Amino acid sequence: MRTNWRTEWPHWALLAAMFLGAAIAWPRVPERLPVHWNVAGEVDRYGGRFEGLILMPALALGLYFLLRYLPRLDPGRANYALFEGAYAVIRLATLGVLAAIYGIVLLAALGRPVDVARLAPVLVGALLVVLGGLLGKVRPTWFVGIRTPWTLSSKRSWGKTHRLGGWLFIADGLLLIAAGAARSELLSVLALAAIGSSLLALWVYSYLVWRGDDDRTPPVGSRPAEEGA
């Protein structure tokens, strides 16, 4: 994957905005900042300026490099060309939501009124909807997608699991958006439970599809050694 400034500049702009926001806010915020909120949107933990202002932009920068260059080490790197557009959207959407959440953190640190219990679930839910809409386009790789022992050894399991996963991610995302819009703790808990259930269901489903695939391949090194080898 070659670096193209036309596709990368939005990422650079988001990262620059995050670090610029940290620099502007640094002399304007108290030494102890809110860094975590509970489901009700109440602050339940405070941290120092570094944790409150620098940690998230640093993590975003690390995530950018990870998503941008890790595919070069992927044994299935040739497949990235088959869903290059979808992968570009996944990268940008993930970074965009992280930047938006950081904007909420900055506003809270500056003492501005911000409804974390409403905005955070909506943002994360929107990301799940985007990811769900793109999962069906993801081709087998070792670093991107729903990677279980069975999706990685069966093309049928990979395809079917990702199609089902797409619908489940969209449903979970919409439920999370509804929870945030309604500012409902009950819906938020149900949405988190639904996400956990979806991941478990996809794990089991990938195995069931794999078991019925006559073209599945065993993991490397799992075949017994031949005599005399």
Side-chain angles (χ1 to χ4, degrees):
M1 298 176 64
R2 293 177 298 178
T3 300
N4 185 335
W5 70 268
R6 291 183 178 84
T7 59
E8 296 307 304
W9 75 262
H11 301 264
W12 300 337
L14 287 171
L15 290 168
M18 293 177 75
F19 280 102
L20 180 61
I24 293 174
W26 187 276
R28 294 174 170 82
V29 299
E31 292 188 4
R32 303 296 293 175
L33 311 175
V35 295
H36 193 271
W37 291 258
N38 59 25
V39 177
E42 302 167 340
V43 179
D44 58 10
R45 191 168 71 84
Y46 289 82
R49 287 178 178 173
F50 178 84
E51 182 181 3
L53 296 179
I54 304 299
L55 185 58
M56 191 174 291
L59 291 175
L61 181 62
L63 181 64
Y64 167 77
F65 282 113
L66 185 69
L67 294 178
R68 181 66 188 85
Y69 295 107
L70 195 57
R72 295 185 180 184
L73 305 178
D74 194 329
R77 56 185 172 273
N79 280 346
Y80 283 88
L82 302 177
F83 65 100
E84 186 174 1
Y87 186 56
V89 175
I90 289 172
R91 291 174 54 230
L92 184 58
T94 302
L95 187 60
V97 167
L98 193 59
I101 292 175
Y102 181 65
I104 295 173
V105 172
L106 275 184
L107 290 175
L110 291 168
R112 305 294 175 83
V114 55
D115 194 343
V116 176
R118 186 183 299 267
L119 294 176
V122 169
L123 289 170
V124 176
L127 178 60
L128 285 177
V129 171
V130 172
L131 295 179
L134 296 171
L135 266 183
K137 299 179 180 180
V138 176
R139 295 299 177 261
T141 70
W142 284 31
F143 297 138
V144 179
I146 303 169
R147 302 173 307 284
T148 72
W150 307 291
T151 57
L152 292 174
S153 55
S154 165
K155 291 183 179 179
R156 180 186 298 178
S157 179
W158 180 281
K160 286 182 173 290
T161 300
H162 280 73
R163 283 193 291 273
L164 175 61
W167 288 110
L168 291 178
F169 273 41
I170 290 173
D172 293 342
L174 292 175
L175 182 57
L176 202 52
I177 291 173
R183 212 179 186 283
S184 168
E185 292 183 43
L186 177 59
L187 278 180
S188 295
V189 172
L190 289 176
L192 294 176
I195 293 171
S197 299
S198 295
L199 295 176
L200 178 60
L202 290 170
W203 181 270
V204 174
Y205 181 73
S206 69
Y207 167 73
L208 294 176
V209 176
W210 171 87
R211 190 175 62 176
D213 183 6
D214 294 333
D215 294 326
R216 64 182 184 266
T217 58
V220 175
S222 64
R223 289 184 182 276
E226 297 181 2
E227 293 186 9

